[in-house]
Amino acid sequence: MRAYLPDYQCSSANSLSEAFSFLEKGARPIAGGTDIMVLFDAGLLAPGDYVDILGISELKGITKKRNTLTLGALTTYSEVRQHKFLQTNFPILCESAKEVGAVAIQNRGTLGGNIANASPAADFPPALLVYEAKIHLVSSRGMRTIDYTKFHHGYKESELKKDELIHSVSLENHLSKHHHFWRKIGSRKAQAISKTMMAGVLKINKNVIEEVRISFGSVAPTAVRCTEVEKFLTGCPLNKNTIREAKQILLKDIHPIDDIRSTGKYRLAVSQNVLEEFLCGIG
Ligand SMILES: Cc1cc2nc3c(=O)[nH]c(=O)nc-3n(C[C@H](O)[C@H](O)[C@H](O)COP(=O)(O)OP(=O)(O)OC[C@H]3O[C@@H](n4cnc5c(N)ncnc54)[C@H](O)[C@@H]3O)c2cc1C
């Protein structure tokens, strides 16, 4: 059944303090609306109060201070993909933004919305995991910062409290000597929700892996860091045997299931192949 419009009230907030007063009365935030309006159209959006946060300047912009880059929660995919510093230093974010939906969604959908929606198939989280992002949450009680790895607890579950907003995400820039890798597997190149996706960064010295970070999306209730594979690979020579073993160890880190988009078996096999593609591409 489609949603009945009079069951919804939407107000606009132009500052954080204005937004907090609506959130404290039980309103839910709406940013680009690209997730929320799909639910609305399908009659699956809970009736009640909403607060439009798109006009809040404190949540906008990409800023650089010394070695730290901060992206406001309202940063869109288009802003990410066009940002020169991100293209050079955090290319996985730009590559993943390029493959989100199509241009209309990239112009409208936001970083904060993608994170808060807490979907295991969301495209930004694997990149945020390998870049070891910090996430900043704000409410009338003030700001708190947590490691992005601790933000998602389970399917559609996160640290975010009902009266809080995602304020921004920050990244430390010290990966200039690393290889950066991104691969999204879906039914098409655009407008596709992934069957699996992988982000990876790796530093190699004289063919020995010095540091590696790997994460997958769409293969567990949340995007996951592959700590078992990382532990195994660190200090190993990069050769065929290492790659073969890493593909087996990946089975400890990811637990894909069957759903409408794919089967667990397919997701597992393709994830192993993507890991191989990443490791074979270093050189
Ligand atoms: C056609 C189509 C294609 C799509 N393709 C992709 C894709 O390829 N990959 C992908 O990852 N996603 C895709 N999406 C999903 C969606 O576009 C993204 O998740 C987007 O980033 C959501 O951002 P938004 O600002 O539109 O969120 P909204 O719809 O406004 O909100 C989503 C959720 O986040 C909450 N929220 C929003 N901002 C904040 C904030 N600052 N603080 C706290 N809570 C907040 C809202 O309350 C809501 O629960 C697609 C959607 C459509 C309609």
Side-chain angles (χ1 to χ4, degrees):
M1 207 170 66
R2 298 196 66 178
Y4 178 57
L5 199 52
D7 288 343
Y8 299 84
Q9 290 79 44
C10 189
S11 312
S12 271
N14 290 310
S15 67
L16 283 177
S17 54
E18 238 185 304
F20 298 151
S21 65
F22 286 111
L23 295 176
E24 280 160 12
K25 285 181 215 135
R28 275 180 60 188
I30 174 164
T34 61
D35 275 316
I36 280 194
M37 292 312 289
V38 171
L39 293 177
F40 174 80
D41 205 47
L44 297 172
L45 186 69
D49 294 335
Y50 288 80
V51 53
D52 175 356
I53 60 170
L54 266 191
I56 303 179
S57 56
E58 294 102 310
L59 303 180
K60 292 184 184 172
I62 303 176
T63 50
K64 187 172 172 291
K65 228 187 218 171
R66 294 210 182 99
N67 235 13
T68 306
L69 194 78
T70 302
L71 293 86
L74 292 176
T75 304
T76 63
Y77 297 98
S78 297
E79 286 167 334
V80 168
R81 56 178 295 194
Q82 286 157 18
H83 198 274
K84 293 276 180 270
F85 187 84
L86 281 172
Q87 285 167 8
T88 309
N89 297 283
F90 299 101
I92 301 170
L93 275 176
C94 302
E95 292 300 312
S96 54
K98 247 187 238 173
E99 290 192 47
V100 166
V103 172
I105 296 295
Q106 292 170 15
N107 286 340
R108 183 84 191 171
T110 66
L111 170 69
N114 195 241
I115 296 170
N117 196 43
S119 160
D123 281 353
F124 272 144
L128 298 175
L129 284 175
V130 294
Y131 287 147
E132 298 191 334
K134 294 208 182 303
I135 182 163
H136 309 287
L137 308 175
V138 70
S139 69
S140 58
R141 297 180 299 285
M143 186 94 88
R144 64 186 180 116
T145 297
I146 52 174
D147 289 341
Y148 190 72
T149 45
K150 301 201 174 104
F151 182 74
H152 295 290
H153 298 159
Y155 180 74
K156 295 273 178 188
E157 287 173 15
S158 77
E159 265 293 304
L160 192 65
K161 307 252 183 311
K162 285 204 161 95
D163 63 349
E164 271 179 327
L165 288 174
I166 296 174
H167 177 275
S168 52
V169 163
S170 58
L171 306 163
E172 294 292 318
N173 181 30
H174 52 75
L175 298 167
S176 61
K177 299 210 165 68
H178 290 63
H179 295 263
H180 300 239
F181 176 88
W182 164 253
R183 191 87 154 86
K184 173 175 174 177
I185 307 290
S187 307
R188 300 169 293 274
K189 251 331 222 181
Q191 295 286 28
I193 301 177
S194 67
K195 296 170 194 280
T196 180
M197 61 186 145
M198 187 196 134
V201 292
L202 186 147
K203 190 172 166 204
I204 194 158
N205 187 8
K206 296 186 183 137
N207 206 43
V208 173
I209 299 168
E210 257 187 28
E211 193 193 359
V212 60
R213 302 180 199 162
I214 292 167
S215 74
F216 274 85
S218 285
V219 291
T222 66
V224 284
R225 262 296 279 273
C226 297
T227 50
E228 292 295 328
V229 177
E230 291 176 5
K231 239 187 288 167
F232 164 71
L233 285 174
T234 307
C236 274
L238 187 52
N239 58 32
K240 276 189 184 155
N241 287 340
T242 300
I243 294 172
R244 195 177 321 117
E245 219 171 313
K247 285 171 69 178
Q248 286 314 306
I249 292 171
L250 183 63
L251 307 185
K252 294 186 189 169
D253 283 321
I254 66 173
H255 306 284
I257 55 163
D258 296 351
D259 66 15
I260 47 162
R261 282 193 298 282
S262 192
T263 63
K265 200 172 159 198
Y266 174 86
R267 287 183 155 123
L268 205 52
V270 173
S271 300
Q272 288 178 309
N273 292 346
V274 171
L275 177 62
E276 180 170 4
E277 183 190 343
F278 169 49
L279 296 171
C280 286
I282 310 290

